[in-house]
Coordinates of all heavy atoms in Angstrom, one line a residue:
D1179 N 84.6 29.7 -94.3 CA 85.6 28.9 -95.0 C 85.0 27.5 -95.4 O 85.6 26.8 -96.2 CB 86.9 28.7 -94.3 CG 86.7 28.2 -92.9 OD1 85.5 28.2 -92.4 OD2 87.7 27.9 -92.2
T1180 N 83.9 27.2 -94.8 CA 83.3 25.8 -95.1 C 81.9 25.9 -95.7 O 81.3 24.9 -96.1 CB 83.2 25.0 -93.9 OG1 82.5 25.7 -92.9 CG2 84.6 24.7 -93.3
H1181 N 81.3 27.1 -95.7 CA 79.9 27.3 -96.1 C 79.8 28.6 -96.9 O 80.1 29.7 -96.4 CB 79.0 27.3 -94.9 CG 77.6 27.6 -95.3 ND1 76.8 26.6 -95.9 CD2 76.8 28.7 -95.1 CE1 75.5 27.1 -96.1 NE2 75.5 28.4 -95.6
E1182 N 79.3 28.5 -98.1 CA 79.1 29.7 -98.9 C 77.6 30.1 -98.8 O 76.7 29.3 -99.0 CB 79.4 29.4 -100.4 CG 79.3 30.6 -101.3 CD 80.4 31.6 -101.0 OE1 81.6 31.2 -100.8 OE2 80.2 32.8 -101.1
F1183 N 77.4 31.3 -98.4 CA 76.1 31.8 -98.2 C 75.5 32.2 -99.5 O 75.9 33.2 -100.1 CB 76.1 33.0 -97.2 CG 76.3 32.6 -95.8 CD1 77.5 32.2 -95.3 CD2 75.2 32.7 -94.8 CE1 77.7 31.8 -94.0 CE2 75.4 32.3 -93.5 CZ 76.7 31.9 -93.1
G1184 N 74.5 31.5 -99.9 CA 73.9 31.7 -101.2 C 72.8 32.8 -101.2 O 72.3 33.2 -100.1
T1185 N 72.3 33.1 -102.3 CA 71.3 34.2 -102.4 C 70.0 33.9 -101.6 O 69.5 34.7 -100.9 CB 70.9 34.4 -103.9 OG1 72.1 34.8 -104.6 CG2 69.9 35.6 -104.0
E1186 N 69.5 32.6 -101.8 CA 68.3 32.2 -101.1 C 68.4 32.3 -99.6 O 67.6 32.8 -98.8 CB 67.9 30.8 -101.5 CG 66.5 30.4 -100.9 CD 66.1 29.0 -101.4 OE1 66.7 28.5 -102.4 OE2 65.2 28.5 -100.8
E1187 N 69.6 31.8 -99.1 CA 69.8 31.8 -97.6 C 69.9 33.2 -97.1 O 69.4 33.6 -96.0 CB 71.1 31.0 -97.3 CG 71.4 30.9 -95.8 CD 72.6 30.1 -95.5 OE1 73.3 29.7 -96.5 OE2 72.9 29.9 -94.3
V1188 N 70.6 34.1 -97.8 CA 70.8 35.4 -97.4 C 69.4 36.2 -97.4 O 69.1 36.9 -96.4 CB 71.8 36.2 -98.4 CG1 71.7 37.7 -98.1 CG2 73.2 35.7 -98.2
E1189 N 68.6 35.9 -98.3 CA 67.3 36.6 -98.3 C 66.4 36.0 -97.2 O 65.6 36.8 -96.6 CB 66.6 36.4 -99.7 CG 65.4 37.3 -99.9 CD 65.7 38.8 -99.7 OE1 66.8 39.2 -100.1 OE2 64.9 39.4 -99.0
Q1190 N 66.5 34.8 -96.9 CA 65.8 34.3 -95.7 C 66.3 35.0 -94.4 O 65.4 35.3 -93.6 CB 66.0 32.8 -95.6 CG 65.3 31.9 -96.6 CD 65.6 30.5 -96.5 OE1 66.5 30.1 -95.8 NE2 64.9 29.6 -97.2
C1191 N 67.6 35.2 -94.3 CA 68.1 35.9 -93.2 C 67.6 37.3 -93.1 O 67.3 37.9 -92.1 CB 69.6 35.9 -93.2 SG 70.4 34.3 -93.0
A1192 N 67.6 37.9 -94.3 CA 67.1 39.3 -94.4 C 65.6 39.4 -94.0 O 65.2 40.4 -93.3 CB 67.3 39.9 -95.9
T1193 N 64.8 38.5 -94.4 CA 63.4 38.5 -94.1 C 63.2 38.5 -92.5 O 62.4 39.2 -92.0 CB 62.7 37.3 -94.7 OG1 62.7 37.4 -96.1 CG2 61.2 37.3 -94.3
R1194 N 64.0 37.6 -91.9 CA 63.9 37.5 -90.4 C 64.4 38.7 -89.8 O 63.9 39.2 -88.8 CB 64.6 36.2 -89.9 CG 64.0 34.9 -90.5 CD 64.4 33.7 -89.7 NE 65.8 33.5 -89.8 CZ 66.4 32.6 -90.6 NH1 65.6 32.0 -91.5 NH2 67.7 32.4 -90.6
T1195 N 65.5 39.2 -90.3 CA 66.2 40.4 -89.7 C 65.3 41.6 -89.8 O 65.0 42.3 -88.7 CB 67.5 40.7 -90.4 OG1 68.4 39.6 -90.2 CG2 68.1 42.0 -89.9
F1196 N 64.7 41.9 -90.9 CA 63.9 43.1 -91.1 C 62.5 43.0 -90.5 O 61.9 44.0 -90.2 CB 63.9 43.6 -92.5 CG 65.2 44.1 -93.0 CD1 66.2 43.3 -93.5 CD2 65.5 45.5 -92.8 CE1 67.4 43.8 -93.9 CE2 66.8 46.0 -93.1 CZ 67.7 45.1 -93.7
S1197 N 62.1 41.7 -90.2 CA 60.9 41.5 -89.4 C 61.1 41.9 -88.0 O 60.2 42.4 -87.3 CB 60.5 40.0 -89.5 OG 60.1 39.6 -90.8
V1198 N 62.3 41.7 -87.4 CA 62.6 42.1 -86.1 C 62.5 43.6 -86.0 O 61.9 44.2 -85.1 CB 64.0 41.7 -85.6 CG1 64.4 42.3 -84.3 CG2 64.1 40.2 -85.5
L1199 N 63.0 44.3 -87.0 CA 62.9 45.8 -87.0 C 61.5 46.2 -87.1 O 61.0 47.2 -86.4 CB 63.7 46.4 -88.2 CG 65.2 46.0 -88.3 CD1 65.9 46.7 -89.4 CD2 65.9 46.4 -87.0
K1200 N 60.7 45.6 -87.9 CA 59.3 46.0 -88.1 C 58.5 45.7 -86.8 O 57.6 46.5 -86.4 CB 58.7 45.2 -89.3 CG 57.3 45.7 -89.7 CD 56.8 45.0 -90.9 CE 55.5 45.5 -91.4 NZ 55.0 44.9 -92.7
R1201 N 58.8 44.6 -86.1 CA 58.1 44.3 -84.9 C 58.4 45.4 -83.8 O 57.6 45.7 -83.0 CB 58.6 43.0 -84.3 CG 58.1 42.6 -82.9 CD 58.4 41.2 -82.5 NE 59.8 40.9 -82.6 CZ 60.7 41.2 -81.7 NH1 60.4 41.9 -80.6 NH2 62.0 40.8 -81.8
C1202 N 59.5 46.1 -83.9 CA 59.9 47.2 -83.0 C 59.5 48.5 -83.6 O 59.8 49.5 -82.9 CB 61.4 47.1 -82.7 SG 61.9 45.6 -81.8
G1203 N 58.9 48.6 -84.7 CA 58.4 49.8 -85.3 C 59.2 50.5 -86.4 O 58.8 51.6 -86.8
L1204 N 60.2 49.8 -86.8 CA 61.1 50.4 -87.8 C 60.8 49.8 -89.2 O 60.9 48.5 -89.3 CB 62.6 50.3 -87.5 CG 63.5 50.8 -88.6 CD1 63.4 52.3 -88.8 CD2 65.0 50.5 -88.2
E1205 N 60.5 50.5 -90.2 CA 60.4 50.0 -91.6 C 61.5 50.7 -92.4 O 61.7 51.9 -92.4 CB 59.0 50.3 -92.1 CG 57.9 49.6 -91.3 CD 56.6 49.6 -92.1 OE1 56.6 49.4 -93.3 OE2 55.5 49.7 -91.4
V1206 N 62.1 49.8 -93.2 CA 63.2 50.2 -94.1 C 62.8 49.9 -95.5 O 62.6 48.7 -95.8 CB 64.6 49.6 -93.7 CG1 65.7 50.0 -94.7 CG2 64.9 49.9 -92.3
A1207 N 62.7 50.9 -96.3 CA 62.3 50.6 -97.7 C 63.5 50.2 -98.5 O 64.1 50.9 -99.3 CB 61.7 51.9 -98.3
R1208 N 63.9 48.9 -98.3 CA 65.1 48.4 -99.0 C 65.0 48.3 -100.5 O 64.0 47.8 -101.0 CB 65.4 47.0 -98.5 CG 66.2 46.9 -97.2 CD 66.7 45.5 -96.9 NE 65.6 44.5 -97.0 CZ 65.8 43.3 -97.5 NH1 66.9 43.0 -98.1 NH2 64.8 42.5 -97.5
D1209 N 66.0 48.8 -101.2 CA 66.1 48.6 -102.6 C 67.3 47.8 -102.9 O 68.4 48.2 -102.5 CB 66.2 50.0 -103.3 CG 66.4 50.0 -104.8 OD1 66.5 48.9 -105.3 OD2 66.4 51.0 -105.4
P1210 N 67.1 46.6 -103.5 CA 68.3 45.8 -103.8 C 69.4 46.5 -104.6 O 70.6 46.1 -104.4 CB 67.7 44.6 -104.7 CG 66.2 44.6 -104.3 CD 65.9 46.0 -104.0
E1211 N 69.1 47.5 -105.4 CA 70.1 48.2 -106.1 C 70.9 49.1 -105.2 O 72.0 49.6 -105.6 CB 69.4 49.0 -107.2 CG 68.7 48.2 -108.3 CD 69.6 47.3 -109.0 OE1 70.7 47.7 -109.4 OE2 69.3 46.1 -109.2
R1212 N 70.4 49.4 -104.0 CA 71.1 50.3 -103.1 C 71.4 49.6 -101.8 O 71.4 50.2 -100.7 CB 70.3 51.6 -102.9 CG 70.0 52.3 -104.2 CD 69.6 53.7 -104.0 NE 70.7 54.6 -103.6 CZ 71.6 55.0 -104.5 NH1 71.6 54.7 -105.8 NH2 72.6 55.8 -104.1
T1213 N 71.6 48.3 -101.9 CA 72.0 47.4 -100.7 C 73.1 46.5 -101.1 O 73.2 45.9 -102.1 CB 70.7 46.5 -100.4 OG1 69.6 47.4 -100.1 CG2 71.1 45.7 -99.2
V1214 N 74.1 46.5 -100.1 CA 75.3 45.6 -100.3 C 75.3 44.7 -99.1 O 75.3 45.1 -97.9 CB 76.6 46.4 -100.4 CG1 77.8 45.4 -100.4 CG2 76.6 47.3 -101.6
V1215 N 75.2 43.4 -99.3 CA 75.2 42.4 -98.3 C 76.7 41.8 -98.1 O 77.3 41.5 -99.1 CB 74.3 41.2 -98.6 CG1 74.2 40.2 -97.5 CG2 72.9 41.8 -98.8
T1216 N 77.1 41.6 -96.9 CA 78.4 41.0 -96.6 C 78.1 39.8 -95.7 O 77.5 39.9 -94.6 CB 79.3 42.0 -95.9 OG1 79.4 43.2 -96.7 CG2 80.7 41.3 -95.8
T1217 N 78.6 38.6 -96.1 CA 78.3 37.4 -95.3 C 79.7 36.9 -94.7 O 80.7 37.4 -95.0 CB 77.8 36.3 -96.2 OG1 78.9 35.9 -97.1 CG2 76.6 36.8 -97.1
P1218 N 79.6 35.9 -93.8 CA 80.8 35.3 -93.3 C 81.7 34.8 -94.4 O 83.0 34.9 -94.2 CB 80.3 34.2 -92.4 CG 79.0 34.6 -91.9 CD 78.4 35.4 -93.1
S1219 N 81.2 34.4 -95.5 CA 82.0 33.9 -96.6 C 82.8 35.1 -97.2 O 84.0 35.0 -97.5 CB 81.2 33.3 -97.7 OG 80.3 32.4 -97.2
D1220 N 82.2 36.3 -97.3 CA 82.9 37.5 -97.7 C 83.9 37.9 -96.8 O 85.0 38.3 -97.2 CB 81.8 38.6 -97.9 CG 80.8 38.3 -99.0 OD1 81.2 37.7 -100.0 OD2 79.6 38.6 -98.7
F1221 N 83.6 37.8 -95.5 CA 84.6 38.2 -94.5 C 85.8 37.3 -94.5 O 87.0 37.7 -94.3 CB 84.0 38.3 -93.1 CG 83.1 39.5 -92.8 CD1 81.8 39.3 -92.5 CD2 83.6 40.7 -92.9 CE1 81.0 40.4 -92.2 CE2 82.8 41.9 -92.7 CZ 81.5 41.7 -92.4
E1222 N 85.6 36.0 -94.8 CA 86.7 35.1 -94.9 C 87.6 35.5 -96.1 O 88.8 35.4 -96.0 CB 86.1 33.6 -95.1 CG 87.1 32.7 -95.8 CD 88.3 32.3 -94.9 OE1 88.3 32.5 -93.7 OE2 89.3 31.8 -95.5
R1223 N 87.0 35.9 -97.2 CA 87.8 36.4 -98.3 C 88.6 37.6 -98.0 O 89.7 37.8 -98.4 CB 86.9 36.6 -99.5 CG 86.5 35.3 -100.2 CD 85.7 35.5 -101.5 NE 84.3 35.8 -101.2 CZ 83.3 34.9 -101.1 NH1 83.6 33.6 -101.2 NH2 82.1 35.3 -100.8
M1224 N 88.0 38.5 -97.2 CA 88.7 39.7 -96.8 C 89.8 39.5 -95.7 O 90.8 40.1 -95.8 CB 87.7 40.8 -96.2 CG 86.9 41.5 -97.3 SD 85.9 42.8 -96.6 CE 84.4 41.9 -96.1
F1225 N 89.5 38.5 -94.8 CA 90.4 38.2 -93.7 C 90.6 36.7 -93.7 O 90.0 36.0 -92.9 CB 89.8 38.7 -92.4 CG 89.3 40.2 -92.5 CD1 88.0 40.5 -92.5 CD2 90.2 41.2 -92.6 CE1 87.5 41.8 -92.6 CE2 89.8 42.5 -92.7 CZ 88.4 42.8 -92.7
P1226 N 91.5 36.2 -94.5 CA 91.7 34.8 -94.7 C 92.1 34.0 -93.5 O 92.7 34.6 -92.5 CB 92.8 34.7 -95.7 CG 92.8 36.0 -96.4 CD 92.4 37.0 -95.4
A1227 N 91.6 32.8 -93.4 CA 91.9 31.8 -92.4 C 91.1 32.0 -91.1 O 91.4 31.4 -90.1 CB 93.4 31.8 -92.0
T1228 N 90.1 32.9 -91.2 CA 89.3 33.2 -90.0 C 87.9 32.5 -90.1 O 87.2 32.5 -89.0 CB 89.1 34.7 -89.9 OG1 88.4 35.2 -91.0 CG2 90.4 35.4 -89.8

Side-chain angles (χ1 to χ4, degrees):
D1179 51 347
T1180 59
H1181 176 74
E1182 186 68 38
F1183 285 72
T1185 303
E1186 183 177 351
E1187 182 179 7
V1188 168
E1189 196 49 44
Q1190 288 175 349
C1191 294
T1193 297
R1194 297 198 295 267
T1195 295
F1196 289 90
S1197 292
V1198 171
L1199 302 185
K1200 189 172 183 178
R1201 173 170 57 79
C1202 294
L1204 175 64
E1205 295 196 39
V1206 180
R1208 276 193 303 142
D1209 177 355
E1211 297 298 318
R1212 305 197 73 77
T1213 301
V1214 175
V1215 182
T1216 307
T1217 71
S1219 311
D1220 298 318
F1221 285 122
E1222 159 67 18
R1223 285 185 278 272
M1224 285 186 274
F1225 311 110
T1228 64

